[in-house]
Amino acid sequence: MNSIDDLDFSKTYTYADYYSWRFEERLELIKGKVFKMSPAPSGKHQTVTLNIASELNFFLKNKSCRVYVSPFDVRLVRGETSDKMVKTVVQPDVCVICDLTKMADQRSCLGAPDLVVEVLSPGNNAKELKIKYDLYEEFGVKEYWVVYPNELSLIRYVLNNEAKFAVEGRVLTVGDTVITEILPGFKLALDDVFNGLL
Amino acid sequence: MKSIDDLDFSKTYTYADYLLWKFDERLELIKGKIFKMSPAPSINHQRIIVNLLRPLANFLLDKPCEVFIAPFDVRLVRNEKSDKKVKTVVQPDVCIVCDPGKLADQRSCLGAPDLVVEILSSGNNAKDLPIKYDLYEVFGVKEYWVVYPIEQCLLRYVLTEKGKFIAGGRALTFGDKITTPILPGLELALDDVFLNLN
């Protein structure tokens, strides 16, 4: 397929289809359905994404986990790993992967990252707040951080023993620090996350 | 005191002082310290207030609880009730008071509202959020809703039996509905809360 206009948005696709598409528009595949991604994100969005990714990247130097930034495909799967069976492919803004066998086929991540960060944009964020929240929970992402660049806030959802996301305490904001069991020793100051916006 | 310039921001004031101030600027008093309120809120901020108020006011027409919008003073107190002892006076964007005894002196609310809604406005009060969150928790507000007008979602914190706020699940957004045990039978659609924003 050479043009996005050839897609049938009511149809169900797989990673095998997705991998053969040759147009430039960015898409995500969620349970086989095609979701268009918003066009180029705002400067604020990118500042925050870069700030988080660079703090993570600096911390992970010489460690076994790796950080990736969008565009980067993550295939969310349970047992089904063949391209023709995989129906969910998303592009999180930032993710951290500690099990590098998930990167073994050199194309994209196969399986849930340990940490996913999504930075919200102005307007309707139902995809990040509902659809992806449910997906990440269902497929076992250990932590999901949602960042609000305009309101200088970050919410940390942590997968609990019952495989459900739970949030402890209030939203984090300027003056707060994020820590996570996934990366012991890592400290992320929210002032650094929003550096350049304050 | 006739001008805000006469205030000493390093000093500790009480509700008795606050009542005497005759200038136009809106202030809040938190543990005796003065916090300036932001100037006129944005249009979308005000639209959200109206969108919330419309169903709430209708729903409460024949019920004992009342809904109030800022400017409306809420005195947060434990046992100290005399004006000279009260050190915390805040102006939530929207609040619901179910105990008419709290309104008995006809001046303002004395004691915690059952529900408080704050609508953030671009970073300014994101920084105040931890302060308000702690205040409402300590003084026993049963539910605290925080609305993100730009990212268009709502966080609902519910006071547990132990007197701590917990987040009632993920952020609510388009397609979601809020219900609360404070107002049984009420159902607010988030699509309506974020209606007609630009």
Side-chain angles (χ1 to χ4, degrees), chain A residues 44 120-126 129-130 133-134 147-153 155 157 167 169-171 173-174 176 198, chain B residues 120-123 125-127 129-130 133-134 148-153 155 157 165 167 169-176:
Chain A
K44 267 188 186 181
L120 301 185
S121 301
N124 188 332
N125 285 290
L129 295 173
K130 289 172 65 171
Y133 177 97
D134 289 344
V147 186
Y148 297 70
N150 291 288
E151 316 294 355
L152 311 176
S153 304
I155 303 183
Y157 298 103
V167 50
R170 60 167 169 77
V171 145
T173 184
V174 176
D176 293 323
L198 299 176
Chain B
L120 299 184
S121 47
S122 252
N125 46 7
K127 292 174 206 162
L129 189 118
Y133 179 97
D134 290 344
Y148 290 74
I150 298 174
E151 287 93 355
Q152 300 184 10
C153 67
L155 301 181
Y157 297 105
F165 278 139
R170 63 165 172 76
L172 299 172
T173 182
F174 293 91
D176 292 322

Side-chain angles (χ1 to χ4, degrees), chain A residues 67-128:
Chain A
V67 58
Y68 295 88
V69 292
S70 173
F72 171 71
D73 287 342
V74 170
R75 288 169 277 169
L76 294 173
V77 293
R78 234 172 300 237
E80 72 293 4
T81 53
S82 82
D83 292 357
K84 286 192 175 174
M85 299 290 264
V86 172
K87 291 202 167 97
T88 297
V89 187
V90 292
Q91 297 195 347
D93 289 319
V94 180
C95 62
V96 172
I97 298 167
C98 296
D99 174 2
L100 297 178
T101 64
K102 291 177 178 170
M103 300 293 300
D105 74 5
Q106 304 288 325
R107 293 183 299 176
S108 59
C109 179
L110 181 64
D114 295 76
L115 168 68
V116 167
V117 184
E118 296 281 5
V119 180
L120 301 185
S121 301
N124 188 332
N125 285 290
K127 184 164 80 170
E128 286 73 19

Side-chain angles (χ1 to χ4, degrees), chain B residues 8-197:
Chain B
D8 180 348
F9 281 78
S10 65
K11 247 191 83 178
T12 299
Y13 292 94
T14 69
Y15 185 57
D17 301 317
Y18 176 93
L19 281 176
L20 295 173
W21 298 338
K22 294 292 173 242
F23 40 80
D24 285 337
E25 289 86 351
R26 283 171 63 201
L27 302 173
E28 291 178 305
L29 215 53
I30 296 177
K31 302 191 179 174
K33 295 289 169 201
I34 298 165
F35 287 70
K36 281 189 197 175
M37 297 193 72
S38 36
S42 72
I43 293 183
N44 277 347
H45 182 282
Q46 299 305 82
R47 284 191 179 116
I48 291 171
I49 289 182
V50 173
N51 287 343
L52 281 167
L53 204 54
R54 193 183 295 119
L56 285 173
N58 274 332
F59 179 82
L60 293 176
L61 266 178
D62 54 354
K63 305 210 170 47
C65 305
E66 272 189 85
V67 59
F68 296 94
I69 52 169
F72 172 71
D73 287 341
V74 171
R75 289 169 275 168
L76 293 174
V77 293
R78 238 169 295 236
N79 296 314
E80 70 294 3
K81 288 182 178 158
S82 81
D83 293 354
K84 287 192 177 176
K85 297 277 201 175
V86 172
K87 291 203 167 98
T88 297
V89 187
V90 291
Q91 296 194 349
D93 287 319
V94 178
C95 64
I96 289 179
V97 182
C98 295
D99 175 4
K102 291 179 179 170
L103 306 168
D105 73 6
Q106 301 292 325
R107 293 183 300 177
S108 58
C109 182
L110 181 64
D114 296 79
L115 170 69
V116 167
V117 187
E118 300 268 16
I119 294 138
L120 299 184
S121 47
S122 252
N124 291 328
N125 46 7
K127 292 174 206 162
D128 296 342
L129 189 118
I131 299 170
K132 294 281 178 72
Y133 179 97
D134 290 344
L135 268 187
Y136 295 143
E137 189 180 69
V138 166
F139 286 102
V141 170
K142 287 183 198 143
E143 283 202 24
Y144 179 31
W145 298 355
V146 183
V147 182
Y148 290 74
I150 298 174
E151 287 93 355
Q152 300 184 10
C153 67
L154 184 152
L155 301 181
R156 180 172 166 244
Y157 297 105
V158 181
L159 203 67
T160 61
E161 283 176 9
K162 290 179 185 159
K164 290 279 164 194
F165 278 139
I166 54 160
R170 63 165 172 76
L172 299 172
T173 182
F174 293 91
D176 292 322
K177 292 192 164 99
I178 322 179
T179 58
T180 161
I182 297 170
L183 305 172
L186 176 80
E187 194 177 78
L188 282 184
L190 273 288
D191 289 57
D192 294 335
V193 174
F194 298 115
L195 194 69
N196 294 329
L197 302 192

Side-chain angles (χ1 to χ4, degrees), chain A residues 123-190:
Chain A
N124 188 332
N125 285 290
K127 184 164 80 170
E128 286 73 19
L129 295 173
K130 289 172 65 171
I131 298 173
K132 287 192 171 178
Y133 177 97
D134 289 344
L135 272 185
Y136 295 148
E137 187 180 69
E138 181 185 340
F139 286 99
V141 170
K142 288 182 197 145
E143 287 202 20
Y144 179 30
W145 298 354
V146 180
V147 186
Y148 297 70
N150 291 288
E151 316 294 355
L152 311 176
S153 304
L154 184 151
I155 303 183
R156 187 174 155 244
Y157 298 103
V158 181
L159 207 65
N160 65 18
N161 292 335
E162 285 146 20
K164 291 281 166 196
F165 278 141
V167 50
E168 263 179 48
R170 60 167 169 77
V171 145
L172 301 170
T173 184
V174 176
D176 293 323
T177 302
V178 190
I179 54 168
T180 163
E181 283 178 22
I182 297 169
L183 307 172
F186 178 65
K187 282 183 188 166
L188 179 63
L190 275 282

